[in-house]
Amino acid sequence: MTQDWRGLVLRSCITAAGELRVTVTEEAAGVPAADEVVVRVEAAPINPTDMGLLFGPADLTAARLEGTARQPMLIAPVPPAAMPFVALRIGQSLPAGVEGAGVVVATGPGQEALLGKTVAMMSDGAYAQYRRIAVTSILVLSDGTSPADGAAALVNPLTVLGMLETARRNGHKAIVHTAAASSVGKMLIRACRQDGVPLVNIVRRDDQVAELRALGAEHVCNSAAPEFRQDLARALAATDATVCFDAVGGALTGRILGAMESAASQRATQYSRYGTNVLKQAFVYGALDRAPIEISRTVGLSWSVAGWLLFDFLQQTDAATQARLRQRVCDELHTTFASRYAATISLAEAVQPQTVAAYMEKRSGVKYLINPQL
Ligand SMILES: NC(=O)c1ccc[n+]([C@@H]2O[C@H](COP(=O)([O-])OP(=O)(O)OC[C@H]3O[C@@H](n4cnc5c(N)ncnc54)[C@H](OP(=O)(O)O)[C@@H]3O)[C@@H](O)[C@H]2O)c1
């Protein structure tokens, strides 16, 4: 008999009437085709990108809960002014959870060797008890790795390795990183130390400075401290960093580029009215500060600001390089790329308004893990 692997699934929908509905419903994962497997998902992190898809621009202060204890539904209004920005998703019930890990419980013909393997997966729809998924979207984890250990094996680790590749491809010798006390930030500190790449970490609180120093970070600057400008100038002079991976945006991006130009002009031997010819690049890969990005004109004329997205990076990266990066993630999953969680919750708990408010704070070290089997 063919099983269709029924289980609970978390979905997010914005209706044309301006209502966000985050639901837990029962669905069949379906029967795997030749290039597919069915994974019993046991762990899936709630990353900032998932929060964007789950809740969009809805006003969560006005959220209410309906449905049953097993299949609850969070409902919240979407402000009318925000509706044009979500026009392309109106009426679509979107599967959530960009990554996770679990055990292969069924395979398509020819994939039987994967049965029983613990795998990480990267594809929307990880917040489900059973997820049918293409074999190309999974990573077989080493023996003994638990789904919780492998839940965040793909997005943040590959982002860190993608940053290092991008910096190298663009000829930069050292890196500046913002929101550096994040999960990505801690992985980047460990990866840069391993690769011998100087790194300037920017955080926004003194306790984060101490925490990152304890991790072995050499240069840590607090953007909220009065001495930030001088600290950053010193760190840039010491490292020669000319590229920034910026998860924050707002005014910070321009402050960093301006400081890089200032450091470059200290080293210049000749005056130019155009500023230095040192290329300063900011790759904005997050939007933690929703304010417009500001670039001060003290940056000279040799600079660029671009968005950076893991999925675009992977598309522009050949198969051999991708395989090398994935292998490194597997080899260093318990060290460089280890993730920690503040709490493990069920699918139903993930839509409770007070739990949502807690993980939506996106505080350092307070990442939540969903175990759909709870
Ligand atoms: N573009 C891509 O492909 C890609 C891939 C992976 C991750 N990302 C992005 O990378 C960032 C980090 O992800 P993560 O999973 O590592 O996050 P995380 O562990 O949940 O940490 C979030 C971090 O953001 C900081 N933060 C929150 N709001 C901030 C603000 N307004 N200004 C400055 N810092 C703020 C927090 O610091 P406090 O404790 O001080 O609040 C915390 O350190 C996110 O923006 C995520 O979307 C992007």
Side-chain angles (χ1 to χ4, degrees):
M1 196 184 76
T2 319
Q3 205 169 338
D4 64 359
W5 301 101
R6 290 191 79 76
L8 298 175
V9 174
L10 194 76
R11 286 179 175 273
S12 169
C13 181
I14 293 177
T15 67
E19 206 168 63
L20 168 80
R21 291 167 170 246
V22 183
T23 54
V24 179
T25 50
E26 197 171 295
E27 290 176 21
V31 178
D35 56 348
E36 290 180 332
V37 294
V38 174
V39 176
R40 185 182 67 229
V41 185
E42 295 180 19
I46 306 180
N47 290 322
T49 183
D50 297 311
M51 301 175 199
L53 183 123
L54 277 172
F55 306 112
D59 175 7
L60 293 176
T61 60
R64 65 180 201 278
L65 206 60
E66 289 188 5
T68 63
R70 185 167 182 268
Q71 296 189 22
M73 170 162 58
L74 177 142
I75 302 175
V78 177
M83 286 298 282
F85 301 105
V86 291
L88 284 173
R89 61 170 286 188
I90 285 173
Q92 293 179 63
S93 180
L94 301 172
V98 80
E99 67 176 338
V103 176
V104 174
V105 291
T107 72
Q111 306 293 345
E112 290 78 5
L114 291 169
L115 205 59
K117 295 277 184 206
T118 300
V119 296
M121 55 188 194
M122 184 163 64
S123 170
D124 275 323
Y127 299 161
Q129 289 186 312
Y130 295 99
R131 173 80 169 95
R132 183 165 50 89
I133 191 162
V135 169
T136 48
S137 298
I138 65 171
L139 174 72
V140 178
L141 298 169
S142 324
D143 287 346
T145 302
S146 70
D149 285 342
L154 288 167
V155 175
N156 284 351
L158 289 176
T159 296
V160 164
L161 295 180
M163 288 174 178
L164 284 164
E165 282 287 318
T166 304
R168 271 185 213 120
R169 284 178 199 173
N170 286 275
H172 299 285
K173 290 186 294 191
I175 295 172
V176 176
H177 187 226
T178 66
S182 65
S183 308
V184 168
K186 288 170 187 154
M187 290 179 188
L188 186 63
I189 289 169
R190 296 189 285 254
C192 282
R193 266 166 67 90
Q194 268 221 334
D195 292 11
V197 176
L199 177 67
V200 177
N201 300 276
I202 299 180
V203 295
R204 60 174 181 173
R205 291 199 317 266
D206 279 337
D207 61 300
Q208 294 168 333
V209 175
E211 188 191 2
L212 298 197
R213 289 241 162 87
L215 272 184
E218 191 177 345
H219 305 284
V220 192
C221 308
N222 177 357
S223 61
E227 59 279 7
F228 175 60
R229 219 172 123 197
Q230 297 89 314
D231 283 352
L232 182 58
R234 255 194 304 275
L236 293 176
T239 56
D240 216 355
T242 44
V243 64
C244 173
F245 290 93
D246 182 14
V248 179
L252 188 59
T253 315
R255 289 181 80 186
I256 295 165
L257 289 175
M260 284 176 178
E261 171 65 2
S262 205
S265 67
Q266 304 280 316
R267 288 188 296 273
T269 49
Q270 213 179 1
Y271 168 76
S272 162
R273 78 196 79 173
Y274 307 115
T276 71
N277 62 0
V278 174
L279 175 62
K280 302 154 291 287
Q281 289 188 289
F283 291 101
V284 180
Y285 78 101
L288 292 167
D289 182 345
R290 306 295 302 182
I293 291 171
E294 285 172 30
I295 309 294
S296 138
R297 297 316 311 245
T298 56
V299 74
L301 286 167
S302 190
W303 56 275
S304 78
V305 176
W308 193 96
L309 186 65
L310 171 64
F311 305 106
D312 293 345
F313 165 80
L314 291 174
Q315 265 182 355
Q316 294 150 11
T317 300
D318 60 76
T321 307
Q322 287 203 36
R324 175 170 56 78
L325 301 185
R326 282 168 172 252
Q327 188 56 51
R328 180 166 176 191
V329 172
C330 264
D331 294 345
E332 299 175 26
L333 190 58
H334 302 282
T335 52
T336 316
F337 303 115
S339 292
R340 292 227 171 112
Y341 302 97
T344 301
I345 57 176
S346 66
L347 289 169
E349 283 171 310
V351 302
Q352 304 295 318
Q354 64 277 28
T355 312
V356 172
Y359 63 70
M360 283 291 280
E361 284 184 26
K362 301 179 193 165
R363 277 187 297 129
S364 306
V366 190
K367 199 178 275 288
Y368 277 49
L369 190 69
I370 295 180
N371 178 350
Q373 306 301 326
L374 289 179

